[in-house]
Amino acid sequence: MQKHRIVAESSSAAKSAPHAAAKAAPHPLHHADFVDSVAKESQLPPPGAPEIAFAGRSNAGKSSAINTLANRTRLAFTSKMPGRTQQINFFRLRGGALLADLPGYGYAAVPRELKEHWQRFLTRYLATRQSLVGLVLVVDARHGLSDPDRALLDGYLTSGRPVLLLATKADKLAPSAQREAARAIGRDIAAAFPFAVAQVTVVPFSATRRIGVEAAEATLAEWLPDDIIVDDRNPAPADAHFESTKEEAPRPRGMARGPKYPR
Ligand code: GDP
């Protein structure tokens, strides 16, 4: 039986993704720039550029994770009113790929209708977005998967695309507890989505202590085509992939076309 990957902080990028590490320690999200905020499906950028989505419960640490991986302090805004920012923020990476920061969910004070509207939007987006190459799901390591996280994965995983699960705020746990938290999340995923365990990589992560950054970057680099990973010594034109009108989603390397594990 295939197993999900749990990449501990002590694992080097070379161990978890040899070919990504060989590309001189890529930082796929460095140099990200804000492009647009989108509140409706009709406003989504045309599919074409490979897109990586970030999702998570409000307050799980998604904005902090984006800022850490992008090496910026205030690229994604950590919100003072969790759950109120109901839009997708798009950032363009230097090689032309896009980062989609999805609205945080699960915040109790948000009116039910708004919650349901966004749940439908996110489910549709994750299930049908042609250009999506992967989902980064940010989960508080101390709390594990919530019901809305499971609902999101349920809609997404049948697409056969990969998930990087950042078990964040790991700095609040001792190293052994970080590993156990990641394993517990892995077991939870295996129980709920046995068909999809090989799609999911769990990484203990901390924005404040920079735990798991290298491992997360190695996984993200695997999702992007070779020519889109730009390192400082080899800059590429920013619009290289952005204007493409290709209907077909760019596939992450090593992933089969279409649903890999149909239910
Ligand atoms: P978001 O709502 O998911 O975007 O979460 P934020 O990134 O705004 O973070 C929510 C709260 O958790 C803030 O007070 C952050 O400072 C804190 N936080 C985020 N990441 C970490 C982390 O890795 N470690 C610790 N200790 N706190 C964090």
Side-chain angles (χ1 to χ4, degrees):
M1 185 182 157
Q2 286 179 303
K3 281 196 156 173
H4 54 270
R5 287 196 300 172
I6 294 178
V7 183
E9 167 59 4
S10 55
S11 305
S12 68
K15 265 196 255 169
S16 60
H19 58 285
K23 276 186 279 166
H27 304 294
L29 304 194
H30 281 199
H31 308 288
D33 272 324
F34 176 75
V35 185
D36 207 358
S37 290
V38 166
K40 290 192 260 184
E41 231 158 325
S42 59
Q43 297 171 334
L44 288 170
E51 200 164 298
I52 293 173
F54 275 69
R57 267 183 91 103
S58 295
N59 222 35
K62 172 167 59 69
S63 310
S64 305
I66 292 174
N67 289 334
T68 298
L69 292 167
N71 205 28
R72 298 265 291 273
T73 45
R74 282 164 59 81
L75 183 67
F77 288 107
T78 56
S79 83
K80 295 207 169 37
M81 307 254 297
R84 293 285 168 178
T85 332
Q86 301 290 308
Q87 56 195 14
I88 301 182
N89 291 321
F90 280 94
F91 302 91
R92 191 184 320 188
L93 309 182
R94 210 152 63 134
L98 290 177
L99 187 166
D101 178 12
L102 307 182
Y105 45 79
Y107 190 63
V110 175
R112 191 168 58 92
E113 270 179 27
L114 191 61
K115 244 189 226 173
E116 286 173 0
H117 164 77
W118 274 98
Q119 258 157 25
R120 282 196 301 273
F121 186 128
L122 290 185
T123 305
R124 250 195 331 269
Y125 166 85
L126 288 171
T128 63
R129 182 71 173 156
Q130 296 269 342
S131 35
L132 205 56
V133 294
L135 168 67
V136 181
L137 182 60
V138 179
V139 171
D140 189 319
R142 298 164 302 168
H143 306 319
L145 286 183
S146 63
D147 286 343
D149 294 327
R150 283 192 202 88
L152 195 96
L153 287 171
D154 193 38
Y156 171 80
L157 285 169
T158 46
S159 71
R161 293 169 189 163
V163 175
L164 168 62
L165 197 150
L166 298 181
T168 195
K169 307 194 187 181
D171 56 284
K172 291 179 183 265
L173 299 171
S176 59
Q178 291 172 19
R179 286 190 293 277
E180 180 44 38
R183 275 197 291 268
I185 291 171
R187 282 195 296 271
D188 207 350
I189 286 172
F193 311 103
F195 63 93
V197 285
Q199 284 165 250
V200 183
T201 303
V202 185
V203 173
F205 189 85
S206 163
T208 50
R209 294 283 177 84
R210 299 187 59 82
I211 296 168
V213 172
E214 202 185 327
E217 288 180 327
T219 295
L220 293 172
E222 286 178 32
W223 295 353
L224 296 170
D226 275 333
D227 59 344
I228 227 168
I229 308 269
V230 181
D231 78 38
D232 290 342
R233 288 153 300 174
N234 181 29
D239 281 339
H241 291 257
F242 194 62
E243 301 300 340
S244 165
T245 53
K246 260 195 319 185
E247 278 300 307
E248 189 79 25
R251 269 175 300 145
R253 289 193 305 248
M255 297 294 295
R257 186 181 298 273
K260 203 171 161 194
Y261 308 99
R263 279 195 288 192

